[in-house]
Amino acid sequence: KTMINLQLRFLLVSFFTSIVGEAQYVMQDAVLMHYIDRRFQSLERRLEKCNQDTLDYVQEFRYFSRRMISRLEGLKVYKAEFKNEVEHLLTRVERAQRDIDYFKSTRESTACVEVDEDLVEKQLNEDAEEKRKVKLMLNASCDNMLAGIKSLKIVKKTGDMNGSWMTDPGKDHLKIYFLSGSKNNVILEFANIRAFSERNHKLTPRRVNLPSSWQGTGHVMYNGFLFYHRYGSLNEIVKYNIQKRKVTDRMFLPGAGQIPAYELFSDTKIDLAIDEQGLWAIHAEPDTSRNLVITKINHMTMTVEHTWDTSCNSKNAEAAFLICGTLYAVYNSPSGGTSRIECVYDVLDTINTYEIPVLPFPKRQGSHSMIHYNPKEKQLFAWANGSQILYKLQTKQKV
């Protein structure tokens, strides 16, 4: 009996011991779970704070980006305005420098010499007689001068980067003549500007093949004839009958063809022009300090009527044209920018050219390879970077 009691006690002790051990394990597990739960809550709070900080940073960055974009746009505007102001100032400085150089080249020696009054009077009489002959030769009633360039219209973009297009102001003025490239011998003749501008395959242009290629982009149509500088020649000008398709005359222009007429477009050595007075030629010579020389040509006889050395330099020039016997030289920057008329020369000396302001073309970036005046339509035909352009003009009477 005693033995049974001992076994029973042993069993009860073992039972209670196991219960207490399991309770301790349960309590330890509960403490561990509570700790883990608190750690997860702490991580969640930190993640939530991190997410909120990230959202705040994103919002702040967006606000900063909008401010920076606004500032950059403002800087672009300021940069463009500053560039325009600098270019305008540079053109003024270049124009003043050209005037100074011209005065220096034409100024007589200040050395003390004995003046022959009879010789001076004779020279003055000869100059007056020369001016009288020039006025008789030219149409003195043509008294328009350029006051500004109102607008531009891009008619089409086709052909090479450089070329020439025009109408004939003296005959068949509706037809468009298209001469692509600075060396070619193929003319495309369109019935009118609508046929030229529209992409209608049914309205095919008339194709004219010249017996020789042209040089540059300085050719003109006048009274049914194409006048052009023949490629491969120094200064030969060809007169070609566009309807009969044959060369009817030719001439050589003394002093021309040695250097480009315009520094910014070296392909053109002789730039022919038409105005109310008829046919002209524009070129530059090394002997005139690369200043432009204009020559009045009799288109009937293909002979030189008169030549003038101008004060307009070919440096940074890209084109030129004449209106009523007045030369307007167009300049630009070598990298391309806004074209502007900076130099004016009147053969009749009826304009105070030094009081004429710089005349900018409507704002566009690039450069011209050809600008020709049409006296019939009173507007400029131009070619710029493969585009054919019309410029409307504002004119006034010569002062």
Side-chain angles (χ1 to χ4, degrees):
K1 189 175 178 179
T2 302
M3 192 68 176
I4 293 171
N5 289 335
L6 289 173
Q7 290 178 350
L8 183 59
R9 287 179 180 179
F10 178 76
L11 290 172
L12 289 172
V13 169
S14 299
F15 175 73
F16 283 117
T17 301
S18 63
I19 290 175
V20 171
E22 289 180 1
Q24 289 178 346
Y25 285 132
V26 169
M27 290 181 65
Q28 290 177 356
D29 289 345
V31 170
L32 179 62
M33 289 299 294
H34 181 67
Y35 173 77
I36 292 173
D37 183 61
R38 284 190 294 110
R39 295 297 294 174
F40 271 116
Q41 289 179 0
S42 176
L43 285 174
E44 286 177 352
R45 287 194 296 271
R46 290 182 180 181
L47 286 174
E48 185 177 355
K49 185 177 184 304
C50 181
N51 185 43
Q52 185 62 43
D53 290 343
T54 301
L55 292 175
D56 292 341
Y57 290 147
V58 169
Q59 187 68 23
E60 185 177 352
F61 181 75
R62 286 176 179 172
Y63 175 70
F64 176 75
S65 297
R66 285 196 295 268
R67 288 185 60 190
M68 288 301 296
I69 291 172
S70 176
R71 293 282 180 87
L72 288 173
E73 289 176 352
L75 286 174
K76 287 181 180 178
V77 173
Y78 292 142
K79 180 182 177 182
E81 291 178 353
F82 179 73
K83 183 181 178 182
N84 288 335
E85 290 295 331
V86 170
E87 285 184 352
H88 183 68
L89 178 61
L90 287 175
T91 58
R92 289 286 186 179
V93 172
E94 290 174 358
R95 184 175 181 180
Q97 186 61 49
R98 282 199 306 273
D99 292 342
I100 292 171
D101 293 341
Y102 177 68
F103 284 130
K104 283 182 178 179
S105 65
T106 57
R107 185 178 60 186
E108 295 181 355
S109 174
T110 57
C112 183
V113 295
E114 185 177 349
V115 178
D116 188 335
E117 293 183 0
D118 292 338
L119 183 61
V120 172
E121 185 178 357
K122 181 181 178 182
Q123 184 66 43
L124 290 174
N125 290 334
E126 288 178 354
D127 291 344
E129 180 64 20
E130 186 67 24
K131 287 185 178 180
R132 189 185 69 83
K133 289 180 179 179
V134 169
K135 287 184 177 181
L136 288 175
M137 176 185 69
L138 299 176
N139 180 11
S141 64
C142 185
D143 59 353
N144 287 332
M145 63 177 289
L146 185 63
I149 301 170
K150 294 194 295 186
S151 62
L152 69 83
K153 177 183 179 181
I154 299 177
V155 178
K156 197 172 185 179
K157 184 177 179 64
T158 185
D160 293 348
M161 288 295 290
N162 305 316
S164 185
W165 73 298
M166 66 206 74
T167 63
D168 185 344
K171 185 180 180 181
D172 294 331
H173 65 276
L174 294 177
K175 292 183 178 180
I176 297 292
Y177 299 93
F178 182 80
L179 297 86
S180 182
S182 56
K183 178 197 170 185
N184 201 346
N185 73 325
V186 178
I187 304 174
L188 297 181
E189 180 189 284
F190 295 83
N192 48 50
I193 196 166
R194 181 179 178 181
F196 170 71
S197 59
E198 290 182 350
R199 296 186 178 276
N200 191 337
H201 297 291
K202 294 181 180 179
L203 299 175
T204 57
R206 175 175 173 249
R207 182 187 177 98
V208 179
N209 293 315
L210 299 176
S212 58
S213 296
W214 60 72
Q215 169 70 49
T217 59
H219 11 274
V220 294
M221 282 293 305
Y222 189 54
N223 286 338
F225 295 92
L226 174 74
F227 298 86
Y228 67 96
H229 177 200
R230 185 175 68 82
Y231 178 81
S233 71
L234 181 64
N235 50 28
E236 182 183 347
I237 300 174
V238 177
K239 180 180 180 181
Y240 182 82
N241 190 312
I242 199 73
Q243 295 301 324
K244 296 181 179 179
R245 301 196 182 193
K246 69 175 184 177
V247 174
T248 58
D249 206 347
R250 62 186 75 231
M251 66 172 289
F252 296 92
L253 188 64
Q258 302 175 64
I259 60 174
Y262 315 112
E263 184 188 55
L264 297 186
F265 187 65
S266 59
D267 289 348
T268 298
K269 305 292 179 64
I270 300 175
D271 191 14
L272 300 170
I274 298 293
D275 75 346
E276 292 82 357
Q277 313 287 8
L279 179 63
W280 301 79
I282 307 167
H283 72 276
E285 296 182 16
D287 295 339
T288 61
S289 301
R290 296 181 179 269
N291 283 358
L292 296 180
V293 178
I294 54 178
T295 303
K296 182 67 180 67
I297 299 175
N298 187 317
H299 72 279
M300 300 290 290
T301 61
M302 291 293 282
T303 55
V304 172
E305 294 184 336
H306 204 282
T307 298
W308 293 264
D309 295 337
T310 77
S311 58
C312 300
N313 199 268
S314 63
K315 184 179 180 182
N316 289 335
E318 64 178 10
F321 57 91
L322 288 106
I323 300 177
C324 283
T326 302
L327 176 74
Y328 298 88
V330 183
Y331 295 84
N332 207 326
S333 60
S335 59
T338 302
S339 301
R340 54 206 177 269
I341 297 170
E342 294 180 21
C343 188
V344 177
Y345 182 88
D346 181 25
V347 299
L348 293 176
D349 199 22
T350 57
I351 298 177
N352 188 353
T353 57
Y354 299 106
E355 294 183 359
I356 296 177
V358 173
L359 300 176
F361 278 66
K363 190 173 182 181
R364 63 178 304 277
Q365 300 298 316
S367 59
H368 297 92
S369 59
M370 161 261 179
I371 300 177
H372 282 169
Y373 172 66
N374 186 302
K376 181 79 173 180
E377 301 181 25
K378 307 296 182 183
Q379 56 187 355
L380 298 178
F381 283 66
W383 192 300
N385 301 324
S387 296
Q388 294 74 49
I389 302 172
L390 288 176
Y391 289 105
K392 290 186 177 180
L393 306 179
Q394 180 181 358
T395 59
K396 63 180 182 181
Q397 283 191 329
K398 293 180 180 180
V399 179

